[in-house]
């Protein structure tokens, strides 16, 4: 039993130190009792519950130390912003392709190009649903349905990725798809039963505004969304939103620190994704370097401000 106790004490380390100090010995005792009774099914159930508890306590929404709640808030805001970027990007590209299809309904384009445009439009509409469905369910309060939808999408995406990219997995592929799939993974982890749901009205406005802005941008800059002049207008829309947030925010608290740091991380991933997509297509001339530098300045300003707010509201509280 000494060996079993050592193993279970190691397993209990999935829980944060503050929780282990309160209930660690009790949980080890429960596991040892089940081990001695050879109740294998109950033991596995307890171990699974222990793992789920470890996630909930490390990404807590309440009743936890301030640093733990801050990490949970940061992750949840990052999930929402990441899904919102998926909605914005996919809607923009879908609007771009739809305008091209409607502008050339007949024989203006070759059948091959017309078919390619339709295929691309369908692909971006699917990606729009991938981001929009879990986000809308979450904002509307359907936490369990949002998690089920995210799990189903991740399973389908994993099968698709294995069949298409099994022989070409590399850093570029990871950076390209991280902004799309990482929010779904973190949704499963961070929006557990004890986590607060996002306020509905502001997020519905954000979703609706993103759809309108994406379609408008796709129509006005149809040739430049994935074009040859540096960063996409959609990326600039995000960068300007981040800069506007820094200039217009009114209060500094723990939630503000989470928002600022989440904006910095999401914008950095978006810029990296765009550069990976355009590698080999655009030349890094002075204009492109200037655009990347300006977006990088916004990321740096958000990061520095977020760290400062975190120290003021969490560390030094």
């Amino acid at each position: 039993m000494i060996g079993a106790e050592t193993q279970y004490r190691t397993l209990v380390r999935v829980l944060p130190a503050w929780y282990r100090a309160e209930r660690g010995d009790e949980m080890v005792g429960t596991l040892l009792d089940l081990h001695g009774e050879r109740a294998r099914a109950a033991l596995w159930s307890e171990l699974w519950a222990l793992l789920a508890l470890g996630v909930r306590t490390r990404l807590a929404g309440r009743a936890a130390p301030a640093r733990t709640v801050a990490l949970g808030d940061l992750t949840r805001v990052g999930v929402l912003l990441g899904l919102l970027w998926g909605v914005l990007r996919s809607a923009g590209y879908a609007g771009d392709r739809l305008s091209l299809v409607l502008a050339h309904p007949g024989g203006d384009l070759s059948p091959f190009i017309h078919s390619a445009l339709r295929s691309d439009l369908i692909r971006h509409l699917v990606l729009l649903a991938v981001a929009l469905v879990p986000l809308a369910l979450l904002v509307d309060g359907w936490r369990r349905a949002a998690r089920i939808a995210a799990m189903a999408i991740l399973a389908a995406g994993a099968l698709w990725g294995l069949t298409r990219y099994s022989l070409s997995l590399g850093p570029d592929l990871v950076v390209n798809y991280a902004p799309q799939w990482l929010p779904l993974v973190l949704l499963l982890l961070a929006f557990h039963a004890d986590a607060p749901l996002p306020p509905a009205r502001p997020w519905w406005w954000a979703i609706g505004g993103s759809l309108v802005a994406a379609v408008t941008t796709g129509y006005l800059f149809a040739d430049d969304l994935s074009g040859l002049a540096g960063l996409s207008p959609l990326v600039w829309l995000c960068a300007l939103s981040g800069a506007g947030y820094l200039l217009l925010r009114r209060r500094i608290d723990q939630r503000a620190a989470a928002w600022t740091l989440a904006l910095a991380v999401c914008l950095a991933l978006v810029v990296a994704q765009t550069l990976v997509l355009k590698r080999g297509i655009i030349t890094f001339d002075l204009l492109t370097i200037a655009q990347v530098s300006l977006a990088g300045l916004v990321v740096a300003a958000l990061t520095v401000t977020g760290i400062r707010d975190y120290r003021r509201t969490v560390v030094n509280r």
Side-chain angles (χ1 to χ4, degrees):
M1 292 291 285
I2 295 178
E5 181 178 355
T6 302
Q7 292 177 357
Y8 292 141
R9 288 198 178 277
T10 302
L11 289 172
V12 169
R13 293 184 69 84
V14 300
L15 301 170
W18 63 269
Y19 196 90
R20 292 200 309 271
E22 296 177 4
R23 298 194 56 192
D25 292 338
E26 175 188 344
M27 301 190 79
V28 171
T30 301
L31 293 172
L32 285 173
D33 290 342
L34 294 173
H35 181 87
E37 295 171 4
R38 298 183 181 277
R40 188 174 297 273
L43 180 60
W44 279 108
S45 177
E46 193 70 25
L47 290 173
W48 177 254
L50 176 66
L51 179 61
L53 180 62
V55 173
R56 292 201 306 273
T57 51
R58 290 187 181 274
L59 297 174
R62 56 179 73 89
R67 295 190 184 193
T68 303
V69 176
L71 177 60
D73 288 341
L74 171 63
T75 307
R76 283 181 284 274
V77 174
V79 168
L80 296 169
L81 291 176
L83 292 175
L84 194 63
W85 163 248
V87 170
L88 179 69
R89 182 174 182 272
S90 300
Y93 280 97
D96 173 30
R97 302 307 188 267
L98 181 60
S99 66
L100 291 174
V101 170
L102 294 178
H104 304 281
D108 294 346
L109 298 174
S110 68
F112 175 78
I113 295 177
H114 205 268
S115 176
L117 284 175
R118 286 181 177 274
S119 176
D120 214 20
L121 172 61
I122 293 172
R123 181 170 67 89
H124 286 296
L125 287 175
V126 170
L127 292 177
L128 175 61
V130 163
L132 183 59
V133 170
L135 179 59
L137 289 172
L138 202 58
V139 169
D140 206 37
W142 296 83
R143 186 201 319 263
R144 183 178 177 83
R147 287 164 58 88
I148 292 173
M151 196 178 304
I153 291 168
L154 285 170
L159 290 174
W160 173 78
L162 287 174
T163 57
R164 184 170 182 179
Y165 297 111
S166 58
L167 300 178
S168 58
L169 183 64
D172 285 2
L173 200 63
V174 173
V175 173
N176 182 27
Y177 284 105
Q180 181 176 341
W181 301 108
L182 186 59
L184 295 172
V185 175
L186 295 178
L187 187 155
L188 296 175
L189 299 177
F191 279 97
H192 47 76
D194 299 329
L197 288 168
R201 180 173 294 179
W203 278 102
W204 279 123
W205 277 105
I207 293 170
S210 295
L211 289 170
V212 172
V215 174
T216 304
T217 304
Y219 178 76
L220 295 177
F221 302 96
D223 296 331
D224 297 323
L225 281 188
S226 57
L228 309 177
L231 297 180
S232 163
L234 295 175
V235 178
W236 276 115
L237 189 60
C238 295
L240 290 173
S241 299
Y245 167 80
L246 281 179
L247 294 174
L248 300 176
R249 65 185 191 146
R250 296 181 179 180
R251 60 179 183 176
I252 300 174
D253 55 14
Q254 184 171 318
R255 293 282 297 171
W259 268 92
T260 309
L261 288 172
L263 279 168
V265 172
C266 290
L267 182 57
L269 284 174
V270 164
V271 173
Q273 181 189 42
T274 303
L275 294 178
V276 166
L277 283 172
K278 295 188 174 186
R279 195 181 72 168
I281 300 176
I282 60 172
T283 57
F284 279 81
D285 54 11
L286 186 60
L287 176 62
T288 302
I289 294 173
Q291 291 187 50
V292 174
S293 299
L294 286 174
L297 283 176
V298 177
V299 172
L302 287 167
T303 303
V304 171
T305 305
I307 293 174
R308 184 196 63 188
D309 293 348
Y310 175 78
R311 287 176 176 174
R312 287 181 179 178
T313 60
V314 178
V315 177
N316 298 328
R317 189 173 67 175

